[in-house]
Amino acid sequence: MIYMGHSMSEQNGSFTGYYFSFKGTVRALLRGSGQVMFQESAYTGLLILVGIFWGAYSASVPQIAWGALLGLAASTFAGWIIGEYRQDGEQGLWGFNGILVGCAFPTFLEPVPLMWVSLVCCAMLTTWMRRGFNNVTAQFKINSLTFPFVFLTWTFLLSARVLTATPLADMNSPALIVHIGGQIDWSIGSFAIYWLKGISQVFLINNWITGIIFLIALGVCSIWAAIYAAMSSAIALLVAVLFAADPADVTAGLFGFSPVLTGIALGTTFYKVSWKSAIWTVAGVVATVFIQAGMDTLMLPWGMPTLTAPFCIATWLFLLPLYKMDDTSNPDMTVWKGQKK
Amino acid sequence: MIYMGHSMSEQNGSFTGYYFSFKGTVRALLRGSGQVMFQESAYTGLLILVGIFWGAYSASVPQIAWGALLGLAASTFAGWIIGEYRQDGEQGLWGFNGILVGCAFPTFLEPVPLMWVSLVCCAMLTTWMRRGFNNVTAQFKINSLTFPFVFLTWTFLLSARVLTATPLADMNSPALIVHIGGQIDWSIGSFAIYWLKGISQVFLINNWITGIIFLIALGVCSIWAAIYAAMSSAIALLVAVLFAADPADVTAGLFGFSPVLTGIALGTTFYKVSWKSAIWTVAGVVATVFIQAGMDTLMLPWGMPTLTAPFCIATWLFLLPLYKMDDTSNPDMTVWKGQKK
Amino acid sequence: MIYMGHSMSEQNGSFTGYYFSFKGTVRALLRGSGQVMFQESAYTGLLILVGIFWGAYSASVPQIAWGALLGLAASTFAGWIIGEYRQDGEQGLWGFNGILVGCAFPTFLEPVPLMWVSLVCCAMLTTWMRRGFNNVTAQFKINSLTFPFVFLTWTFLLSARVLTATPLADMNSPALIVHIGGQIDWSIGSFAIYWLKGISQVFLINNWITGIIFLIALGVCSIWAAIYAAMSSAIALLVAVLFAADPADVTAGLFGFSPVLTGIALGTTFYKVSWKSAIWTVAGVVATVFIQAGMDTLMLPWGMPTLTAPFCIATWLFLLPLYKMDDTSNPDMTVWKGQKK
């Protein structure tokens, strides 16, 4: 695949024409993978893809790994054909919603041909809808985060109960009562596994080795991001256990993935690392656990997954007051590391 | 009924006093009917009313036709008594939500006296709430479209399950599982009927002749609007069939009415007709089908109809990015044909 | 407890340092109690607390009264430690969401230790989230009202179905069908009780004497507030009975509390008292009853209480059009009596 960018005259006042770059394309794609965890690093993105492939093949669901790649490519391609701001694409901001669509569709839907067509279309839409959602959220000085992925995946999964040509695979049945099941193993080793699965589940992967790979992936770009990810998954695990959450979810790391993203977002991306921002971030991480649990209940009547919505909501809640943590922090919360508005 | 307008000094700097005009009143009312499909034409509005009366009397539910007239009158009257911008009223922008309330209430509720009182009150509220919703959506450079109708009708129908004095008529029972029923007839003639019913359902009419009348109504004002309406209903029908939608809904045209509105809105109202905007519109029309199906699932636990919400959501999604399709298109998406902000 | 305020240099250009004042602390707390009903008066707040204690002890649920005090203290304290605008705190605007959290948690949850910890944390969050929600609603020239309380309490109660360490006490079971029960007693005396309970339920108290105390509490600060509260509860009662609402809810005053708040908000707080604003307020109060009934249906699948959401939604709907009722009314609806933006 060839990356073809063209600069927009609206943005920088000059039209530099089209260009082709294999290296640039690969870098934009890999950064798209890294930007799910807010890292503008092709190496981070590459390691994340390694983690996804490891986890998907270990669980004998290779379609999730290839879906991730396909979603990443489609959403990045979509940014190019619509003429989105080139800089966003170079920083990987076209692809991070698309790769999540690519992980989610083959997880929750049967791998029939129409599913693959839909995956490509929805991944492309995430890039365009991201522009629209950002136009809304920018009014409140926040960013749409992964909400384009959440919104489009929810819409498609809901529609799939009526449009029966794309059958559902691994989805809960609609219900009114929470089903509490499974059992927590109280050994340290098991807790380490739950903790690491909390990190791997960011990409819907249930595999502790993938969790380690993701931590390394973060570390090669930002040691603080790795620390906050590790810390957030641990805090979320403790809070979930303390409040006696559903063991089946705790042991699968399903209380960890949104807090991990909240932790990286608040602690290292939108606020600078400091004691003040660390305390605020911990509050946000704990809040994410309750929002996760609340949304688990909220989604019951449709048997729908929450995806990363708890992360979006919690991060928005803790950014919206626009509290300053230090004199230099940027009051415009729409901007994240490496992102120009 | 007498139309009584008064200009607002806030708006145009001069107070020209009250005036009475039978002709102006009738024209404002008929335009209100036409504006549901974005046409500021009294002839379009008149033909739409003919189509509604034909469909309602054919189905032995005359209360829907008279409800439409009553809702149209009440909402237009409401604009006058509150002192809304006179120009909006003259362009039919006071009445288009009200006529939909007037179609929906007698469809979903028993025609008891309190229903008629509620219909009038809710139709009036649409005009006032439209101002409020527009104040919100204008921040994002979009228009509230038919959302005042959707919001108030949802609220009233939900309340009617608790306030038992206005009993529900033709409503689904609350459920968790989608009921798939009916059967598609694969003849060309049947498909033509499904296609035309997709257009008539814009006003909750299930009648293919009404669909033809509506197409003519559009054509007398804008041939492009008629073409986009016809095309959008056809595309929606094909997508619904391709993705194996519930046959009962497909055959009643229930996958068509929101895409029809999306098609007219995107293809001819907010964007100028062009190849670029046509492609974008087709994407929006296809997206509307999935949003429709998703909302059908979403509404199950309350047995509620989606009304035109899928149209609103899809149109907003495809306007919010504010992509320019040509050099002259208006970047302020709050404005539609014949509407000054 | 000691009130410690510090002025913010961002706000008034000068840093006057910390100060301690027992009297100031008590006054800020009591005003927080009064501001639930929009009264910046420590006497009103004190009488409201008396009413809460009377009602809670009468019903043998003292934990609700002490929860109210605890929530009030925690949310006021939260404003101080985060360095919120001091003036807001002095006017009681830090505490009004917190006292409602303090009433709601012991009502709907078992009084286990973790519930009390959660109550304090959520009460504190209301103060911070209020800043965030106000940053959003200010774009539309409205105020977040009691929505921080509603949002956080909903989230926690939903989460408590999954996080089983804080068991639910007095909550409905999730259901799809409305349960209509109880019986209305048609005597004047009974109606007076229903009417007064509609007022006491603002603080989740089901006690007609508390209703009288609340009316007196309003009257000592603003006779108009008392009149509008009384009138709104009466109108809501009549509309609920006319539309044959669920008798169990009518007799417990559950159709009254949101309209009472809507009445005070629209009639005396955001609009000046006048004939025009009175008519608009009555429309808003009636609308609140239908929004209440609609949300009762909406909440069924989770067995959740609506809390004061119907009040928020109705008040927003009737403020958003920004209609002017007289020449001097403030078009910025974010401001209420005694509140500088």
Side-chain angles (χ1 to χ4, degrees), chain C residues 179-226:
Chain C
H179 177 74
I180 307 283
Q183 209 165 352
I184 290 174
D185 185 282
W186 293 92
S187 72
I188 290 178
S190 295
F191 264 68
I193 287 171
Y194 306 157
W195 165 66
L196 289 166
K197 284 184 172 179
I199 299 161
S200 72
Q201 286 283 12
V202 169
F203 287 86
L204 298 94
I205 301 290
N206 184 358
N207 187 302
W208 64 272
I209 295 173
T210 297
I212 294 176
I213 299 173
F214 284 177
L215 280 179
I216 297 168
L218 288 169
V220 299
C221 180
S222 158
I223 197 71
W224 279 115

Short mmCIF file of all heavy atoms in Angstrom, two decimals, chain C residues 179-226:
data_model
loop_
_atom_site.label_atom_id
_atom_site.label_comp_id
_atom_site.label_asym_id
_atom_site.label_seq_id
_atom_site.Cartn_x
_atom_site.Cartn_y
_atom_site.Cartn_z
N HIS C 179 -45.60 -1.22 36.54
CA HIS C 179 -46.51 -1.76 37.54
C HIS C 179 -47.38 -0.62 38.08
O HIS C 179 -46.87 0.31 38.69
CB HIS C 179 -45.73 -2.41 38.67
CG HIS C 179 -46.63 -2.93 39.76
ND1 HIS C 179 -47.39 -4.07 39.59
CD2 HIS C 179 -46.91 -2.45 40.99
CE1 HIS C 179 -48.10 -4.28 40.69
NE2 HIS C 179 -47.82 -3.31 41.56
N ILE C 180 -48.66 -0.71 37.80
CA ILE C 180 -49.60 0.31 38.30
C ILE C 180 -50.23 -0.25 39.57
O ILE C 180 -50.82 -1.34 39.56
CB ILE C 180 -50.71 0.61 37.26
CG1 ILE C 180 -50.10 0.96 35.90
CG2 ILE C 180 -51.64 1.69 37.77
CD1 ILE C 180 -49.53 2.35 35.78
N GLY C 181 -50.09 0.49 40.68
CA GLY C 181 -50.62 -0.03 41.94
C GLY C 181 -51.14 1.08 42.83
O GLY C 181 -51.16 2.25 42.45
N GLY C 182 -51.54 0.71 44.06
CA GLY C 182 -52.02 1.69 45.01
C GLY C 182 -53.38 2.25 44.64
O GLY C 182 -53.98 1.88 43.63
N GLN C 183 -53.85 3.17 45.43
CA GLN C 183 -55.18 3.72 45.24
C GLN C 183 -55.18 5.17 45.75
O GLN C 183 -54.59 5.48 46.77
CB GLN C 183 -56.20 2.89 46.02
CG GLN C 183 -57.55 2.92 45.36
CD GLN C 183 -58.45 1.83 45.91
OE1 GLN C 183 -58.00 0.97 46.66
NE2 GLN C 183 -59.72 1.87 45.56
N ILE C 184 -55.87 6.02 45.00
CA ILE C 184 -55.97 7.41 45.42
C ILE C 184 -57.17 7.58 46.33
O ILE C 184 -58.26 7.07 46.05
CB ILE C 184 -56.11 8.33 44.18
CG1 ILE C 184 -54.79 8.35 43.41
CG2 ILE C 184 -56.54 9.73 44.58
CD1 ILE C 184 -54.85 9.09 42.10
N ASP C 185 -56.96 8.26 47.44
CA ASP C 185 -58.07 8.60 48.33
C ASP C 185 -58.57 9.99 47.92
O ASP C 185 -57.80 10.95 47.90
CB ASP C 185 -57.62 8.60 49.79
CG ASP C 185 -58.78 8.85 50.72
OD1 ASP C 185 -59.19 10.04 50.85
OD2 ASP C 185 -59.30 7.88 51.29
N TRP C 186 -59.86 10.08 47.58
CA TRP C 186 -60.37 11.29 46.94
C TRP C 186 -60.80 12.38 47.92
O TRP C 186 -61.46 13.34 47.53
CB TRP C 186 -61.51 10.95 45.99
CG TRP C 186 -61.01 10.14 44.82
CD1 TRP C 186 -60.96 8.78 44.74
CD2 TRP C 186 -60.44 10.65 43.60
NE1 TRP C 186 -60.41 8.38 43.54
CE2 TRP C 186 -60.08 9.51 42.82
CE3 TRP C 186 -60.19 11.92 43.09
CZ2 TRP C 186 -59.49 9.64 41.57
CZ3 TRP C 186 -59.62 12.03 41.84
CH2 TRP C 186 -59.27 10.91 41.09
N SER C 187 -60.45 12.25 49.21
CA SER C 187 -60.82 13.30 50.17
C SER C 187 -59.88 14.49 50.04
O SER C 187 -58.74 14.35 49.58
CB SER C 187 -60.74 12.74 51.59
OG SER C 187 -59.40 12.55 51.95
N ILE C 188 -60.35 15.65 50.44
CA ILE C 188 -59.53 16.86 50.38
C ILE C 188 -58.30 16.73 51.26
O ILE C 188 -57.19 17.11 50.88
CB ILE C 188 -60.37 18.09 50.79
CG1 ILE C 188 -61.41 18.37 49.70
CG2 ILE C 188 -59.47 19.31 50.98
CD1 ILE C 188 -62.32 19.55 50.02
N GLY C 189 -58.48 16.13 52.43
CA GLY C 189 -57.36 15.95 53.34
C GLY C 189 -56.24 15.14 52.71
O GLY C 189 -55.06 15.49 52.81
N SER C 190 -56.63 14.06 52.06
CA SER C 190 -55.60 13.22 51.42
C SER C 190 -54.89 13.97 50.32
O SER C 190 -53.67 13.86 50.16
CB SER C 190 -56.25 11.96 50.84
OG SER C 190 -56.77 11.17 51.87
N PHE C 191 -55.67 14.74 49.57
CA PHE C 191 -55.03 15.50 48.49
C PHE C 191 -54.05 16.53 49.05
O PHE C 191 -52.99 16.78 48.45
CB PHE C 191 -56.10 16.18 47.61
CG PHE C 191 -56.41 15.36 46.40
CD1 PHE C 191 -57.06 14.13 46.53
CD2 PHE C 191 -56.01 15.75 45.13
CE1 PHE C 191 -57.33 13.34 45.43
CE2 PHE C 191 -56.26 14.96 44.01
CZ PHE C 191 -56.93 13.76 44.17
N ALA C 192 -54.40 17.13 50.18
CA ALA C 192 -53.46 18.07 50.80
C ALA C 192 -52.16 17.37 51.16
O ALA C 192 -51.06 17.92 51.01
CB ALA C 192 -54.10 18.69 52.05
N ILE C 193 -52.30 16.13 51.63
CA ILE C 193 -51.10 15.36 52.00
C ILE C 193 -50.27 15.03 50.77
O ILE C 193 -49.04 15.18 50.76
CB ILE C 193 -51.51 14.08 52.78
CG1 ILE C 193 -51.96 14.48 54.19
CG2 ILE C 193 -50.37 13.07 52.83
CD1 ILE C 193 -52.59 13.37 55.00
N TYR C 194 -50.95 14.59 49.69
CA TYR C 194 -50.20 14.29 48.45
C TYR C 194 -49.46 15.54 47.97
O TYR C 194 -48.32 15.47 47.51
CB TYR C 194 -51.14 13.83 47.33
CG TYR C 194 -52.04 12.66 47.68
CD1 TYR C 194 -53.23 12.46 46.99
CD2 TYR C 194 -51.71 11.76 48.70
CE1 TYR C 194 -54.07 11.40 47.30
CE2 TYR C 194 -52.54 10.71 49.02
CZ TYR C 194 -53.72 10.54 48.32
OH TYR C 194 -54.55 9.50 48.63
N TRP C 195 -50.19 16.66 48.09
CA TRP C 195 -49.64 17.93 47.63
C TRP C 195 -48.38 18.29 48.42
O TRP C 195 -47.35 18.68 47.86
CB TRP C 195 -50.74 19.00 47.77
CG TRP C 195 -50.30 20.42 47.69
CD1 TRP C 195 -49.78 21.04 46.59
CD2 TRP C 195 -50.35 21.40 48.72
NE1 TRP C 195 -49.51 22.35 46.87
CE2 TRP C 195 -49.86 22.60 48.18
CE3 TRP C 195 -50.79 21.38 50.04
CZ2 TRP C 195 -49.78 23.77 48.93
CZ3 TRP C 195 -50.72 22.54 50.79
CH2 TRP C 195 -50.21 23.72 50.23
N LEU C 196 -48.44 18.15 49.74
CA LEU C 196 -47.30 18.50 50.58
C LEU C 196 -46.15 17.51 50.41
O LEU C 196 -44.97 17.89 50.48
CB LEU C 196 -47.72 18.58 52.05
CG LEU C 196 -48.59 19.79 52.38
CD1 LEU C 196 -49.26 19.63 53.75
CD2 LEU C 196 -47.77 21.08 52.34
N LYS C 197 -46.51 16.25 50.20
CA LYS C 197 -45.44 15.26 49.97
C LYS C 197 -44.70 15.55 48.67
O LYS C 197 -43.51 15.24 48.55
CB LYS C 197 -46.04 13.85 49.94
CG LYS C 197 -46.40 13.32 51.32
CD LYS C 197 -46.89 11.87 51.23
CE LYS C 197 -47.05 11.28 52.64
NZ LYS C 197 -47.56 9.89 52.59
N GLY C 198 -45.42 16.12 47.72
CA GLY C 198 -44.76 16.51 46.47
C GLY C 198 -43.63 17.49 46.72
O GLY C 198 -42.63 17.52 45.98
N ILE C 199 -43.80 18.30 47.77
CA ILE C 199 -42.75 19.26 48.11
C ILE C 199 -41.63 18.59 48.92
O ILE C 199 -40.45 18.82 48.68
CB ILE C 199 -43.36 20.46 48.87
CG1 ILE C 199 -44.38 21.16 47.96
CG2 ILE C 199 -42.29 21.44 49.32
CD1 ILE C 199 -45.36 22.05 48.68
N SER C 200 -42.01 17.75 49.86
CA SER C 200 -40.99 17.11 50.71
C SER C 200 -40.10 16.17 49.90
O SER C 200 -38.93 15.96 50.23
CB SER C 200 -41.64 16.35 51.87
OG SER C 200 -42.29 15.18 51.41
N GLN C 201 -40.66 15.61 48.80
CA GLN C 201 -39.88 14.65 48.01
C GLN C 201 -38.70 15.29 47.27
O GLN C 201 -37.88 14.58 46.68
CB GLN C 201 -40.79 13.93 47.01
CG GLN C 201 -41.71 12.87 47.61
CD GLN C 201 -40.99 11.57 47.95
OE1 GLN C 201 -39.77 11.51 47.94
NE2 GLN C 201 -41.76 10.55 48.28
N VAL C 202 -38.63 16.62 47.26
CA VAL C 202 -37.45 17.26 46.67
C VAL C 202 -36.18 16.70 47.30
O VAL C 202 -35.17 16.50 46.63
CB VAL C 202 -37.51 18.80 46.85
CG1 VAL C 202 -36.19 19.44 46.48
CG2 VAL C 202 -38.65 19.38 46.02
N PHE C 203 -36.26 16.42 48.60
CA PHE C 203 -35.12 15.84 49.31
C PHE C 203 -35.35 14.35 49.61
O PHE C 203 -34.82 13.83 50.57
CB PHE C 203 -34.84 16.61 50.60
CG PHE C 203 -34.21 17.96 50.38
CD1 PHE C 203 -35.00 19.07 50.13
CD2 PHE C 203 -32.83 18.11 50.39
CE1 PHE C 203 -34.42 20.32 49.92
CE2 PHE C 203 -32.26 19.35 50.18
CZ PHE C 203 -33.05 20.46 49.94
N LEU C 204 -36.19 13.71 48.79
CA LEU C 204 -36.47 12.27 48.93
C LEU C 204 -37.13 11.93 50.26
O LEU C 204 -36.99 10.81 50.76
CB LEU C 204 -35.19 11.43 48.72
CG LEU C 204 -34.54 11.55 47.34
CD1 LEU C 204 -33.46 12.59 47.32
CD2 LEU C 204 -34.00 10.21 46.89
N ILE C 205 -37.84 12.88 50.84
CA ILE C 205 -38.56 12.66 52.09
C ILE C 205 -40.05 12.52 51.78
O ILE C 205 -40.62 13.34 51.08
CB ILE C 205 -38.34 13.84 53.07
CG1 ILE C 205 -36.84 14.03 53.36
CG2 ILE C 205 -39.14 13.66 54.34
CD1 ILE C 205 -36.22 12.95 54.20
N ASN C 206 -40.66 11.46 52.32
CA ASN C 206 -42.07 11.18 52.09
C ASN C 206 -42.86 11.53 53.35
O ASN C 206 -43.26 10.65 54.11
CB ASN C 206 -42.21 9.68 51.73
CG ASN C 206 -43.63 9.32 51.36
OD1 ASN C 206 -44.53 10.15 51.41
ND2 ASN C 206 -43.84 8.06 51.01
N ASN C 207 -43.05 12.84 53.59
CA ASN C 207 -43.63 13.27 54.86
C ASN C 207 -44.29 14.64 54.67
O ASN C 207 -43.60 15.62 54.33
CB ASN C 207 -42.51 13.34 55.93
CG ASN C 207 -43.06 13.61 57.31
OD1 ASN C 207 -43.72 14.63 57.51
ND2 ASN C 207 -42.79 12.71 58.24
N TRP C 208 -45.60 14.72 54.91
CA TRP C 208 -46.30 15.97 54.62
C TRP C 208 -45.91 17.10 55.57
O TRP C 208 -45.94 18.28 55.18
CB TRP C 208 -47.81 15.76 54.59
CG TRP C 208 -48.43 15.33 55.91
CD1 TRP C 208 -48.58 14.07 56.38
CD2 TRP C 208 -49.00 16.20 56.90
NE1 TRP C 208 -49.18 14.06 57.60
CE2 TRP C 208 -49.46 15.37 57.95
CE3 TRP C 208 -49.17 17.58 57.01
CZ2 TRP C 208 -50.08 15.88 59.09
CZ3 TRP C 208 -49.78 18.09 58.15
CH2 TRP C 208 -50.23 17.24 59.17
N ILE C 209 -45.53 16.77 56.81
CA ILE C 209 -45.11 17.83 57.73
C ILE C 209 -43.80 18.46 57.23
O ILE C 209 -43.61 19.68 57.27
CB ILE C 209 -44.94 17.27 59.17
CG1 ILE C 209 -46.32 16.83 59.68
CG2 ILE C 209 -44.33 18.33 60.09
CD1 ILE C 209 -46.29 16.11 61.01
N THR C 210 -42.91 17.59 56.73
CA THR C 210 -41.69 18.12 56.10
C THR C 210 -42.04 19.05 54.95
O THR C 210 -41.38 20.08 54.75
CB THR C 210 -40.80 16.95 55.61
OG1 THR C 210 -40.41 16.17 56.73
CG2 THR C 210 -39.58 17.45 54.87
N GLY C 211 -43.10 18.72 54.22
CA GLY C 211 -43.55 19.59 53.14
C GLY C 211 -43.91 20.97 53.66
O GLY C 211 -43.54 22.00 53.06
N ILE C 212 -44.61 21.03 54.79
CA ILE C 212 -44.95 22.33 55.39
C ILE C 212 -43.69 23.07 55.81
O ILE C 212 -43.54 24.27 55.57
CB ILE C 212 -45.88 22.12 56.61
CG1 ILE C 212 -47.24 21.56 56.14
CG2 ILE C 212 -46.07 23.43 57.38
CD1 ILE C 212 -48.19 21.23 57.27
N ILE C 213 -42.77 22.33 56.45
CA ILE C 213 -41.53 22.97 56.89
C ILE C 213 -40.77 23.55 55.70
O ILE C 213 -40.24 24.67 55.76
CB ILE C 213 -40.64 21.96 57.66
CG1 ILE C 213 -41.38 21.45 58.91
CG2 ILE C 213 -39.31 22.59 58.04
CD1 ILE C 213 -40.67 20.32 59.64
N PHE C 214 -40.76 22.80 54.59
CA PHE C 214 -40.05 23.29 53.40
C PHE C 214 -40.72 24.56 52.86
O PHE C 214 -40.03 25.49 52.41
CB PHE C 214 -40.03 22.22 52.30
CG PHE C 214 -39.03 21.11 52.54
CD1 PHE C 214 -38.94 20.04 51.66
CD2 PHE C 214 -38.19 21.11 53.65
CE1 PHE C 214 -38.03 19.02 51.87
CE2 PHE C 214 -37.28 20.09 53.87
CZ PHE C 214 -37.20 19.04 52.97
N LEU C 215 -42.05 24.62 52.89
CA LEU C 215 -42.75 25.82 52.42
C LEU C 215 -42.38 27.02 53.29
O LEU C 215 -42.14 28.13 52.78
CB LEU C 215 -44.25 25.61 52.43
CG LEU C 215 -44.84 24.84 51.24
CD1 LEU C 215 -46.34 24.68 51.40
CD2 LEU C 215 -44.51 25.55 49.92
N ILE C 216 -42.34 26.79 54.60
CA ILE C 216 -41.93 27.88 55.51
C ILE C 216 -40.49 28.28 55.21
O ILE C 216 -40.15 29.47 55.15
CB ILE C 216 -42.07 27.43 56.98
CG1 ILE C 216 -43.55 27.14 57.29
CG2 ILE C 216 -41.51 28.48 57.94
CD1 ILE C 216 -43.78 26.42 58.61
N ALA C 217 -39.65 27.27 55.01
CA ALA C 217 -38.23 27.54 54.72
C ALA C 217 -38.09 28.44 53.49
O ALA C 217 -37.29 29.39 53.48
CB ALA C 217 -37.47 26.23 54.51
N LEU C 218 -38.88 28.15 52.47
CA LEU C 218 -38.84 28.99 51.27
C LEU C 218 -39.35 30.39 51.58
O LEU C 218 -38.77 31.39 51.16
CB LEU C 218 -39.68 28.36 50.16
CG LEU C 218 -39.11 27.12 49.49
CD1 LEU C 218 -40.15 26.45 48.61
CD2 LEU C 218 -37.87 27.47 48.67
N GLY C 219 -40.46 30.44 52.35
CA GLY C 219 -41.11 31.72 52.63
C GLY C 219 -40.22 32.69 53.38
O GLY C 219 -40.28 33.91 53.14
N VAL C 220 -39.35 32.19 54.27
CA VAL C 220 -38.51 33.11 55.03
C VAL C 220 -37.49 33.81 54.12
O VAL C 220 -36.95 34.87 54.47
CB VAL C 220 -37.74 32.42 56.18
CG1 VAL C 220 -38.71 31.81 57.18
CG2 VAL C 220 -36.76 31.38 55.67
N CYS C 221 -37.22 33.23 52.95
CA CYS C 221 -36.27 33.88 52.04
C CYS C 221 -37.01 34.58 50.91
O CYS C 221 -36.67 35.70 50.54
CB CYS C 221 -35.29 32.85 51.47
SG CYS C 221 -34.06 33.53 50.34
N SER C 222 -38.00 33.93 50.36
CA SER C 222 -38.71 34.50 49.22
C SER C 222 -40.14 34.00 49.22
O SER C 222 -40.39 32.81 49.07
CB SER C 222 -38.03 34.10 47.90
OG SER C 222 -38.93 34.20 46.83
N ILE C 223 -41.08 34.93 49.41
CA ILE C 223 -42.48 34.52 49.44
C ILE C 223 -42.91 33.99 48.09
O ILE C 223 -43.72 33.07 47.98
CB ILE C 223 -43.37 35.71 49.91
CG1 ILE C 223 -44.73 35.19 50.37
CG2 ILE C 223 -43.50 36.78 48.85
CD1 ILE C 223 -44.69 34.43 51.66
N TRP C 224 -42.34 34.54 47.03
CA TRP C 224 -42.68 34.06 45.69
C TRP C 224 -42.21 32.62 45.47
O TRP C 224 -42.91 31.82 44.83
CB TRP C 224 -42.08 34.96 44.60
CG TRP C 224 -42.90 36.18 44.35
CD1 TRP C 224 -42.53 37.47 44.57
CD2 TRP C 224 -44.22 36.23 43.82
NE1 TRP C 224 -43.55 38.33 44.22
CE2 TRP C 224 -44.60 37.59 43.75
CE3 TRP C 224 -45.15 35.26 43.41
CZ2 TRP C 224 -45.85 38.01 43.29
CZ3 TRP C 224 -46.38 35.67 42.96
CH2 TRP C 224 -46.73 37.03 42.89
N ALA C 225 -41.05 32.30 45.99
CA ALA C 225 -40.56 30.92 45.87
C ALA C 225 -41.53 29.96 46.55
O ALA C 225 -41.84 28.88 46.02
CB ALA C 225 -39.16 30.79 46.47
N ALA C 226 -42.02 30.35 47.73
CA ALA C 226 -42.98 29.50 48.44
C ALA C 226 -44.27 29.35 47.64
O ALA C 226 -44.83 28.26 47.53
CB ALA C 226 -43.26 30.09 49.82
#
